[in-house]
Structures are given as C-alpha cells and as structure tokens.
C-alpha cells in the first residue's frame, strides 16, 4: 500500500505572487480566460475550468500580532478530500482515487453530467464547455517524483509536496512556532484525518478562522442527500416496476 | 518540499529519462498507461529567466524545435528551482501568435506595415545610419577655451536599449555605437 | 548588490525599502529563510504591499522623503551611541578632518559651501580634507574634533530628529523610534542588517543621494562587507546589471570608465591624468582604458595613435545625452534617427507623451523587439493620424533568451550562461546578429574611405567565429574577458600568456597594448585549461555544497568571483572576524604566501577575498577594506554634484514646503524647458493637484508590459489597469471600488479602475492630511485581443522631465496628481 501523498499549503509563507496559478496553467495547458474584477488582485472569485490554483487576497485589519493590518494570502486548490464528494457523486466512475490518495477526473470517461460540480463542498470542480467535461486540479506529476508544478514553482515553499504524515507533523510544529510569534489564530485546516471529510490530502495552515478565507468551517458531503434521494428514486422505480408487473399479470389472468 | 525538488534530469541537450526518484512511489498499471509525462522525450536546456534580475535558473524542454515546457532548475543555488509567475510563463515569449516572424516596414505617412525581406531591411537601415553619419558628423569643434579639439561625435542618431539582451550583445552595441560616434547611448537602468 | 541573495539569510534585521516580495519573489525566499532563523523584517513603503504582508513591521513613509528617513536613523544612531565605533573609526573617513572653510547644510540652511545660485552649481574647492605634510588626510581617531567628518555628520543630521521625521515623512514618532531601535541594534560586532532598495530610492531628483544615505547608515552600523549586511540593491531586468557593466549608458565606457569629455579630456594623456586617482584600485585605470581601446580597435590601436583614443566620441558636456536629454533633443530635432532595441519608451520612460511626440518627429526609427510594441507603432498611436507622421519605421523581429546562447548578469553580479533551446522562427534575428550584420554592412560602405575619422570604425572587429553575421557568443565573451595581443612573458622570460590566450585576472592587464579587455571587471570569466580548451565560467553549474554556501562553482561573479564585496571589513584590524557568528574571511598566518620566499600568511574563508589575498592586516593598507576608493576607506563625506552629505529636499512637485530648510528642492536639480507646454510642473502645494502619486510595478507584469501584456498567462492575472486609493480618499471623492476614475497631472491623464483598499492610508504631514495614490505603469494600448484588460492608458503620461543632477534619472516615484470620478 503506497503512502498517501499530500500538498500542504502554509499560507503564512505565501507572498501572493501567483507562480502557482501560472505554473499550473502552463503545465496543464489550460488556456486563456477572462479575469473578473474582484476589487483586489485576485483574478477570479472562484475556481474555474481553467484555473485550478487560485490565490486569494483578503485584507484583515488588526490581524497582525502587532495589531496592524494583515493581508491574508492563500493559494487555494482542490482539497483531494479523503472522503470526496465529487468521487461519491460521479455516476460513471470517471472520478477515481489514485493509490496515493489523490483524486482525479479521467477526461476520457467523464460524460459531463456535473453531479461532481454540485457535490464539492468547496466549489472546486468546474465544467468546461469546450471539452464537455469536469475539470479540477489533477495533483500532477506525482508518478515520477517531479511533484505538482505549483509546488515546484512556489518561491517561498508555501506549497509543499510530500508524504502526508511527514507534512502533518511539520505543519503541527509550524502552528506552534506561529503561535509563539503572536499569530494566535494560526490553525490547520484539513490536517486531521479524524476530522471533517476524513482529512484533506491538500490541507492548509491558516492565520485566521476558515470563514475569513471563505472556507466552510465544517464542510460536509452534500450528497448524503443525493444518495438518499437516489435510493428513494430507485426504490420508487422498483415499486412502480413491481406494481406494473403485478398489474400486467392480473390483466393476463383476468383476461376474459 | 518534503520530497526532493531534483529533477534527476541532466541538461545541455540531454533527454529526460524520467528516472524514478527512489521514494518508493509505485504506480498503478492503469495510471501508468493513462499518464504520460510530456517532457519524457524532450531535450532539456539550461536557461536563465529573461525577466527580473534574480536570474532564476530554468530548464527549457524542447521537442522538434518547439519549446514544450519551462520550469525551474533545482540545482541553481540562489533560486532552487523556484519561479515567479513571469518565469513560469516564459514559454509564451516563444510560443505566441502575436510574434511577428517577418521584418516590417512602414513608409512615411503610411497607415500600414509592409513585410520586407530581412536583407532589404539591413541594407536600408545601414543606409540610414551611413547617411546620418555622413551628413551630421562633427569631427572637430572648439572647447570652452576656444581651442580646436577632435570630437568625432555623431548626435543625429540615438540608441536606447536594452537591459533584456545578453552581455555579449550589450558589448557589441557599445562597440558599434561608440566606434561609430554615437553619444545618445542609453538603456533601462533608470526604468 | 554588494552582497549575495543567499547571504540574506544571515541578517538579524532586514529593512526592505523596495517591494521585494512582489518584484523579486524568488529572491525573497532568502528573507523568509532569515525569518525562519529569527530575523525581523521591516518594510518601509508608502503602500502596504505583498512585502508588507510578510514583514513583521510595515512603516509607511511619504514618497520622496527617504533622506529625511535615513538621516533620522543616522541621527538616532549617533544620539544613542548605536553605531559600530571601531569599524567607523578605522574603516571610514569619519575621523578625517575637513577644511575649516567647509560648512554643512545645518550651518547654511539647506546648502553647502560654494553654491552659486546663478549657475545652479557648486564650487567644491572647500569640500576637502586637511592634509598633512605627506599629502595624507589629517585624522582625529577620537572623533571629537569639531572638524572631523563625524562631527560634521552629527551637526548636519542634528535637525533630523524623530519629531522632524514625523512632520516630514508622516511616520509617528513612537513608530519611527521602534524601528530605529530595532534596525540600529544591528550595529556592533555580533549583529548585522541589510537594507534593500530598488527604483523606490533611485527615481527621484535626490536619487543618488538617497542611495548614499543608505550606504552611510550601513557604514555607521558597521554592516558593509559582513554576512547578513551590505547594500542589497535589487535591479529590475534580467540583464540591466550586464547592460550597466558593458555600459549602454551615456556617461561611461564598458567597465565604468568615464566617457571622454571634450573640455576635460582632449587627449589620452590628459584623460588618464585626470581620471586616475593616487590611491585605491582605480590607480590601474590606464590599464583598463588602454585594454578597452585595444578590444575596440584591435591592431589599429597602437602606442603611436594613443590606442585610437581620438576615435572615441567626446561629449560636449557632462549635462547631455542621457535618456531624458535624448527625448527633449529628439523633440527639438537634433536627433534624426533612433534605434529602440528591446526598450519601449512610448510607455516605459518619464513624460511618455513627450517621448511619443518626439519619436513622431524622427526621420527614421528602427525597432528591434520580440513583439510589435507601442514604440514600434507610435505612428498609429490612438488619436494620431498616421498621415501626419513622416517617420520611416523599420521593425526587426527579435529572439527571446530561449532562442540564443549568451550570458546574463543578475543583481548579485553573477554572470550566468544560458543555452539556446530552439531556433528563432522565420526571419527573427538575435540582437547579436542584428548588431554584427549592421556593422558589417556599414563597414562595407566605408570600405573605400581613407578619412582618419572613419579609420577606427573600419578597424573594429565584428566577426566572431566562422559565420561573420552570426557571432559565436563565447568568443565575444572572451573578448570582454580580455586576451593577450602578443606573447607575454614575465621578467624571467617564462611565457605567461600566448598571443590570443584569455587573461585570467584584471591584475594582469597592461597599459602598453599587450592586453585587450572589453570590460575589466569581467576578466576571469573565460580562462584556458592547461590543455588549451576555453573554459566558460559563466556556464559552471556546481550547486552549493558544504560550507560553500555562496556557491562559487555556479556561474562567475564579478569581480574575480567575489560574492560579497568589501569582505575585508568582516575582520578587525588584526585579521580576526569581528565576531565568530559573522565570519566571512580572516587572515591565516600559517598558510604559505604568494611565493615560496614570501612571508607566510593569506586571507582565507568562505569567500574570495575582495582584497589583495596576501596583504597582511598589519602591513601598509592591510587595514583598509574599501579598495575602490582613493583613500581606501568608506566615505561618509563624499562629493556628489548636490552635496557631500545627503540633505532632504522636497520632490520637484510636492504638497508641502520643505520643513528641514529654506531650500525647497534640490539646488542643482535638472529641469528641462520643453516647448509646447510638454513639461508643465505643478507649484508647491497646488490645489489643482493636491495628491501625491507614486508609480510602481506588479509581480505579474514586467516593465512597459511588452513581456507580459502580450502573454495571456500573465495578462489574465490582473483584470485591468487600476489605481490604488485609500478608503478615506475614496469616501471624500465618492468613489466605489471598481469604478472608473481619471488620474490627472500637469502633463496628461489616464483612465483606470479604482481599487479602494485599506493598504493605502493618508499621511499627516506637519499636521495636515496628505493623500497618496498608487498607479502601476505596465499598461499601453496594445495587448491580447481576447483580454481587453491587457490594454490600458499609459501611466507615464503623468510623469515629468526632471532629473537628478548626477545621472539625470527621472522623478517617477513622487509627484502630484488629481483624481476625478468617472472617465473625464
């Protein structure tokens, strides 16, 4: 059994440069898209079918240890959840988990139904009209040790790639260091495999509460309901089918 | 990074071999078939980023005379294989439909470009340089004491640029301009 | 920079006055490394940027008040005795006695002795040391004599109190003192600090003095030449350092040799006499100048014709030919033809409207560039009718770095070779190809000339290798390095160099024509192996290992592969490091000397000594680290055109009068008169232009945008051209985030999107509110069609044509503007 690979994004090291966004786009040949006005340097409000790494810019007055303005900078990405909503929702099996724990969408199998788009608690998965398929971070290049393009490019090592357990140990130490420096809200997001979604294989160190970064505090799999609904639909289909059979048999018998 | 950033790929025109890192990273057969590394068959060249003055080492992967990937060179002591967005976008300086590949000429008063053979361009440009020097060259002039001094100066031609060309090219331009008599000789040091 | 990016990790306190995280992101990793090791990072910038986000303290200061700030720090250090006394006494000119006639700007209310208001210049004859019988400066090592440089410095900066810094810079007194205490705490043997700067300090009418002030502070604190110290000058382009070294500048020849002046240097003998000091390494100027002339003119340069000195053009004046002079003179019709090679002045230079109008008056324009820039298409600038523009334009498509071999010199003086990966497509030319082909065509046209004035150009060689128009770049680098022009033997007849062999060290260049060198500081970059092969050290690629954290095996740093300059200053008078924690080089008396018969002893350590490796600390000048200066010590007192000490003057356009003296602006500032109102300037405290504007760069774009606005992967990272405005100003003007606004100056206007942010705050200057806005300058009217936001107005239409009196750099970091709601 291969050890789980992960990406640890330590936002305390992020300088918001967007090397990750461009390295991802360059390696994955994602193509040109029009940016949006967000009021900051951020060029999209949400992930898109051509933006898998998105740097977020959040001004947080008073959030520095000395009470000064903080500019929270975060390179956001697909979380490669241990319990992945997109994977659970995918009806065709296009979305699969590699032996290393990462989640990927097989573009040849995807039929464009978009159940995954609705099922991601983080709004990561996007639909590409041109290819007619769902798109998200592929956790690229792990199979030859190069590591994801974003991690390699990151100038300050904010994005770190490696074995999950090593990274979690490192991340825990880092939180303690930051707390010692006065960053009292420093916390990990998704490091705990006993926590939400079974832990994230792309987890984060945040300098403020998740809500400050527009991240859900307690993300859940939305398709608990989808599964139940499906069962209900299937269940009712069966009932209808059985009912119809019975009706036919009765007609058959009743006949004349 | 917890795993080494090293590519284990030699440069100077060598082929990328995709050697395993020795991390014990195994591949599922399905994945191995489905995923191919696009730089596997490419040649890697040692580049230096053409943007800012940090001078990040780059690995430029090319195949069939076309660049297919540019990423950082992890051996570079002061940059360790990292890049900023500009360095990461370098491929689009070469692979870009906006690049003219022909020399262009605009006649006085004209509203358009005309494509011209490169040889024609050189002849015309040389003629402009020559004519300007012949017409406006100042061989001698009086200094502030009224004494005649050889100055060998050409003020009619100005030269600007570049901080984006190689040392050898800067030297050649300095040599060309100065031996020709040009004194308006500048570049982006102030920009 | 005097130091090395990798070395930044050894700083105890890093003061960033530039915007390093945004403009040198990959270099910034070493600041983060320093932080990991416990360093504190201070960011001094009018705007809160991505650098401020990573810093421990952000301290905004009003644009254009850098000398008030550094002067305040120097005053603080001297008042609190937070300076490195032994270093200051022995390694600087602090102890030197000045001529009693010299008076500083405290004495003379903003001026120094010798000012002539009618000529707007200084007679510097009183700016000198008192000399003893042997012609050496008199010294008082106690630093107490009122005529010492040190006491002058104290009195000069005595006005720069914390209270004054608050009034002038808008930095609250308590915050200033917090930062001053932190940074000046790097004085003394055990700690070091470094200060970064970029165009934030240079693009002012006090530009050079700004940098002097930074250097003086570092000398006061004993930080130069020590690990984690130095002056971290962060240059902006892949090869602006190389272009500076190889002198694409109006006032110098390759290797920092002054460009001859008609009145001062009528012949080589006078030139060498005037430009060769009596002390310091520049005593070798004749060797470097003659070797350069030999490189330019080959065999045609002989002792009999002064090595071709007369063929080099002589400048009519020191106040001529710089970038800003160029466009004023072009507008006035002096310049007929213009080559813009890899530069886009239609967007990138000050007073861009004037630059474009000037280019539209040329007879001909040649543009060599990767893309069709605004400069290349200046004849169809929006609003201009091409019929009205008579300029002939020749566009030659140029190759980017990946399509050619060559070397680039980065900000830490590191020369790195890059390999050609693919051929340029179509008729795309490398710049080397362009210059050599053009030179050859011209030489052909001059082939029949017998005129003396053409001899030099005809003799210059532009053929390197088998294909005349396609130079072998390593052969060009070899010429820059320098070679022997004939066999050179030592006094015992042993052959040191064969004819044509590259010279190993600039110490071996000669002034008798036996050596060439295109740029003496590069000597050593190409050498010959024992078996006669050319070794290109710029292409060395040995990663850092072990104690060699400076990675001497990667590339070649000038001079002589020294990575940290002035590193002699890292050791004390006995040759021991000032502190074991901060060791760099030290004197080892047990190592053999240069020759077997010499006394043993050598400088050893973690870097190549920036010093005579065999000069003992107790020998003559063995205790003088600043080898490039004539008196071998660091200069607090150092004559520039505008004064021997930096003095705060307001920018030419300012919202306030100068609170430090009666002298409002730089007394010798260069202000050009340009016809047709193309250089109007706002008066002090103008109500029409009440806001301070500063212009700057973003990580995602590059300079005038040619290498970013045309690249979709970069152009899409910012929605559109914007201006950063404080919430306070936005409220006053009724502007919402995302609205279009018009920014106006006396020169022009731009329409941009308002980005209303907490990261800009108004300043309180002498009790009054002064607003500041920031506008990046990357945009022009061309870009990617599918990305309308890649196109925008030209920010430099707002800036003016005024210049620092030393090098004529423009003032684009601090001037004034107005902001109007909507598109006006």
């Amino acid at each position: 059994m291969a050890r789980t690979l992960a990406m640890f994004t330590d936002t305390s090291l992020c300088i918001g440069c967007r090397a990750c966004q461009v390295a991802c786009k360059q390696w994955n040949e994602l193509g040109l898209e029009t940016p949006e006005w967000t009021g900051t340097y951020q060029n999209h409000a949400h992930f898109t079918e051509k933006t898998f790494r998105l740097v977020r810019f959040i001004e947080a007055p008073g959030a520095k240890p000395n009470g000064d303005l903080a500019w929270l900078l975060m390179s956001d990405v697909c979380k490669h959840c241990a319990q992945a909503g997109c994977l659970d929702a995918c009806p065709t099996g296009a979305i699969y988990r590699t032996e290393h724990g990462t989640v990927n969408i097989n573009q040849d199998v995807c039929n464009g139904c978009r159940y995954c788009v609705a099922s991601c608690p983080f709004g990561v998965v996007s639909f590409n009209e041109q290819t007619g398929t769902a798109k998200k971070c592929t956790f690229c290049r792990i199979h030859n040790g190069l590591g994801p393009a974003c991690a390699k490019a990151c100038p300050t090592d904010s994005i770190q790639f490696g074995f999950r357990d090593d990274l979690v140990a490192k991340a825990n130490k880092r939180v303690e260091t930051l707390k010692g420096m006065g960053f009292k809200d420093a916390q990990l997001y998704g490091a705990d495999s006993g926590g939400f979604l079974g832990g994230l294989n792309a987890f984060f160190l945040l300098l403020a509460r998740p809500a400050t970064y527009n991240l859900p505090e307690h993300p859940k799999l939305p398709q608990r309901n989808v599964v139940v609904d499906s069962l209900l639909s299937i269940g009712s289909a069966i009932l209808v089918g059985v009912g119809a059979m019975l009706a036919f048999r009765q007609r058959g018998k009743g006949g004349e | 990074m917890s795993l080494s950033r090293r590519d284990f790929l030699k440069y100077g025109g060598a082929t990328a071999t995709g050697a395993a890192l020795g991390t014990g990273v195994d591949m599922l057969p399905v994945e191995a078939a489905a995923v191919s590394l696009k730089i596997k068959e490419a040649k890697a060249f040692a580049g230096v980023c053409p943007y800012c003055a940090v001078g990040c080492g780059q690995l430029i992967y090319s195949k069939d005379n076309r660049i297919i990937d540019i990423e950082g060179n992890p051996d570079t002591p002061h940059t360790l294989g990292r890049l900023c967005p500009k360095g990461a976008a370098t491929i689009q300086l070469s692979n870009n439909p906006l690049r003219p590949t022909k020399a262009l000429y605009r006649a006085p008063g004209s509203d358009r470009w005309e494509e011209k053979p490169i040889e024609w361009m050189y002849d015309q440009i040389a003629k402009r340089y020559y004519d300007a020097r012949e017409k406006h060259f100042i061989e001698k002039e009086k200094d502030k004491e009224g004494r005649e001094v050889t100055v060998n100066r050409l003020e009619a031609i100005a030269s600007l640029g570049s901080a984006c060309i190689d040392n050898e090219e800067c030297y050649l331009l300095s040599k060309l301009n100065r031996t020709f008599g040009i004194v308006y000789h500048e570049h982006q040091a102030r920009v | 920079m005097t130091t090395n990016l990798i070395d930044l990790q050894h700083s105890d306190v890093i003061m960033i006055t530039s915007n390093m995280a945004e403009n040198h992101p990959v270099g910034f990793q070493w600041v983060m490394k320093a932080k990991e090791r416990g360093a504190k990072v201070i960011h001094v910038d009018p705007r809160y940027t991505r650098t401020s986000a990573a810093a421990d303290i952000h301290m905004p200061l009003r644009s254009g008040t850098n000398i008030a700030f550094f002067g305040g720090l120097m005053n603080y250090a001297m008042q609190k005795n937070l300076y490195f006394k032994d270093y200051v006494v022995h390694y600087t000119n602090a102890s030197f006695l000045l001529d009693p006639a010299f008076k500083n700007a405290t004495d003379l209310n903003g001026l120094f002795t010798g000012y002539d208001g009618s000529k707007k210049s200084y007679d510097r004859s009183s700016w000198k040391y008192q000399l003893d019988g042997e012609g050496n400066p008199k010294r008082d090592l106690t630093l107490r004599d009122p005529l010492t440089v040190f006491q002058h410095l104290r009195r000069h900066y005595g006005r720069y109190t914390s209270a004054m810094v608050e009034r002038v810079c808008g930095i609250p007194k308590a915050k200033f003192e917090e930062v001053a205490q932190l940074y000046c705490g790097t004085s003394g043997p055990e700690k070091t600090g470094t200060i970064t700067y970029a165009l934030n300090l240079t693009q002012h009418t006090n530009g050079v003095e700004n940098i002097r002030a930074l250097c003086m502070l570092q000398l006061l604190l004993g930080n130069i030449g020590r690990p984690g110290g130095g002056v971290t000058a962060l240059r902006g382009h892949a090869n602006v350092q190389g272009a500076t070294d190889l002198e694409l500048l109006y006032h110098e020849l390759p290797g920092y040799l002054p460009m001859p002046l008609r009145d001062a240097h009528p012949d080589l003998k006078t030139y060498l006499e005037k430009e060769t000091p009596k002390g310091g390494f520049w005593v070798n100027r004749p060797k470097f100048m003659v070797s350069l002339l030999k490189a330019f003119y080959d065999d045609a340069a002989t002792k009999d014709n002064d090595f071709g000195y007369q063929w080099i053009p002589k400048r009519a004046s020191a106040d001529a030919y710089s970038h800003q002079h160029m466009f004023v003179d072009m507008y006035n019709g002096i310049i007929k033809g213009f080559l813009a090679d890899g530069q886009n002045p239609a967007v990138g230079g000050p007073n861009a409207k004037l630059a474009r109008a000037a280019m539209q008056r040329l007879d001909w324009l040649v543009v060599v560039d990767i893309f069709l820039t605004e400069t290349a298409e200046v004849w169809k600038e929006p609003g201009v009718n091409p019929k009205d523009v008579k300029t002939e334009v020749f566009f030659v498509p140029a190759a980017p770095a990946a399509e050619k071999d060559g070397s680039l010199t980065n900000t830490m003086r590191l020369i790195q070779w890059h390999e050609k990966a693919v051929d340029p497509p179509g008729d795309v030319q490398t710049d080397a190809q362009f210059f050599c082909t053009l030179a050859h065509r011209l030489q052909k046209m001059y082939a029949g000339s017998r005129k003396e004035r053409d001899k030099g150009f005809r003799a210059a060689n532009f053929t390197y290798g088998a294909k005349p128009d396609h130079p072998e770049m390593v052969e060009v680098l070899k010429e820059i390095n320098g070679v022997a022009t004939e066999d050179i033997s030592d006094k015992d007849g042993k052959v040191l160099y064969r004819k044509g062999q590259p010279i190993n060290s600039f110490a071996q260049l000669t002034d008798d024509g036996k050596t060439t060198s295109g740029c003496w500081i590069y000597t050593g970059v190409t050498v010959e192996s024992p078996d006669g092969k050319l070794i290109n050290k710029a292409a060395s690629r040995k990663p850092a290992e072990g104690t060699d954290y400076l990675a001497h095996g990667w590339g070649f740093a000038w001079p002589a592969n020294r990575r940290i300059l002035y590193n002699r200053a890292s050791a004390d008078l006995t040759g021991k490091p000032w502190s074991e924690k901060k060791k760099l080089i030290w004197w080892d008396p047990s190592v053999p000397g240069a020759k077997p018969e010499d006394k043993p002893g050598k400088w050893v350590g973690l870097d190549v000594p920036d010093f005579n490796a065999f000069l003992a600390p107790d020998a003559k000048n063995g205790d003088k680290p600043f080898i490039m200066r004539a008196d071998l010590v660091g200069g607090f007192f150092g004559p520039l055109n505008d004064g021997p000490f930096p003095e705060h003057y307001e920018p030419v356009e300012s919202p306030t009068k100068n609170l430090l003296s009666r002298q409002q602006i730089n007394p010798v500032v260069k202000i050009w008169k340009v016809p047709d109102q193309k250089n109007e300037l706002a008066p002090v405290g103008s109500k029409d232009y009440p806001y301070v504007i500063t212009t700057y760069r973003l990580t995602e774009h590059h300079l005038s945008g040619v290498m970013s606005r045309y690249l979709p992967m970069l152009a899409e990272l910012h929605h559109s051209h914007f201006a950063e405005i404080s919430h306070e100003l936005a409220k006053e003007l009724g502007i919402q985030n995302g609205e279009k606004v018009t920014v106006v100056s006396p020169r022009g206007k731009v329409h941009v999107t308002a980005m209303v942010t907490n990261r800009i705050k108004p300043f309180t200057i002498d009790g009054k509110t002064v607003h500041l806005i920031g506008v990046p300058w990357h945009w022009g009217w061309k870009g990617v069609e599918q990305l309308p936001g890649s196109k925008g107005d030209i920010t430099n239409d707002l800036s003016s044509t005024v210049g620092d009196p030393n090098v004529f750099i423009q003032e684009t970091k601090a001037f004034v503007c107005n902001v109007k709601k909507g598109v006006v």
Side-chain angles (χ1 to χ4, degrees), chain A residues 68-87:
Chain A
D68 280 353
L69 169 71
W71 200 8
L72 303 173
L73 305 167
M74 171 199 189
S75 175
D76 202 356
V77 74
C78 167
K79 318 293 181 291
H80 295 272
C81 314
Q83 291 160 17
C86 59
L87 194 155

Side-chain angles (χ1 to χ4, degrees), chain C residues 393-459:
Chain C
V393 185
F394 300 86
F395 178 82
V396 177
E403 296 169 14
K404 54 187 181 173
D405 283 341
S407 69
L408 298 166
T409 305
N410 79 356
T411 195
M412 47 196 223
R413 295 164 284 104
L414 181 67
I415 307 164
Q416 298 183 102
W417 191 261
H418 64 88
E419 294 174 343
K420 172 177 169 174
V422 294
D423 293 324
D427 283 339
V428 171
Q429 310 283 294
T430 69
D431 299 84
Q433 211 177 332
F434 177 77
F435 303 139
C436 290
T437 310
L438 177 59
H440 288 139
R441 301 276 160 126
L442 286 166
Q443 286 177 325
K444 203 152 155 225
M445 294 168 93
Y446 277 106
S449 166
R450 293 287 162 257
K451 293 188 187 147
E452 177 62 34
R453 69 193 223 175
D454 300 332
K455 277 203 185 134
F457 178 66
R458 290 179 54 225

Side-chain angles (χ1 to χ4, degrees), chain C residues 295-465:
Chain C
F296 273 10
Y297 298 119
D298 245 351
D299 294 333
T302 66
K303 208 163 189 309
D304 295 328
N305 68 3
D306 270 354
F307 300 105
Y309 174 81
Q310 295 297 345
W311 293 322
I312 299 282
K314 292 188 190 61
R315 295 185 280 159
S317 156
D319 180 1
Y321 313 124
S322 79
H323 178 122
Q324 295 199 88
H325 289 100
M326 190 188 284
F327 286 97
V328 174
D329 294 347
M330 196 186 289
Y331 188 74
N332 287 330
I334 295 171
I335 296 169
K336 311 291 183 198
F338 178 47
L339 168 65
D341 178 296
Q343 189 160 351
N344 188 19
V347 172
N351 204 338
K353 265 176 100 173
L354 169 64
R356 296 194 299 277
M359 289 190 281
Q360 287 155 3
R361 289 182 167 194
L362 290 164
D363 289 349
W364 50 266
L365 165 66
V366 180
V367 176
V368 180
D369 217 311
I370 305 172
F371 298 102
L372 280 167
T373 62
E374 287 79 6
T375 298
E377 298 203 329
V378 73
W379 46 275
K380 52 172 176 167
E381 170 187 356
V384 159
N385 188 340
K387 282 209 207 359
D388 299 332
V389 181
K390 306 281 185 294
T391 315
E392 272 194 298
V393 185
F394 300 86
F395 178 82
V396 177
E403 296 169 14
K404 54 187 181 173
D405 283 341
S407 69
L408 298 166
T409 305
N410 79 356
T411 195
M412 47 196 223
R413 295 164 284 104
L414 181 67
I415 307 164
Q416 298 183 102
W417 191 261
H418 64 88
E419 294 174 343
K420 172 177 169 174
V422 294
D423 293 324
D427 283 339
V428 171
Q429 310 283 294
T430 69
D431 299 84
Q433 211 177 332
F434 177 77
F435 303 139
C436 290
T437 310
L438 177 59
H440 288 139
R441 301 276 160 126
L442 286 166
Q443 286 177 325
K444 203 152 155 225
M445 294 168 93
Y446 277 106
S449 166
R450 293 287 162 257
K451 293 188 187 147
E452 177 62 34
R453 69 193 223 175
D454 300 332
K455 277 203 185 134
F457 178 66
R458 290 179 54 225
N461 171 55
F462 292 92
T463 299
Y464 301 84

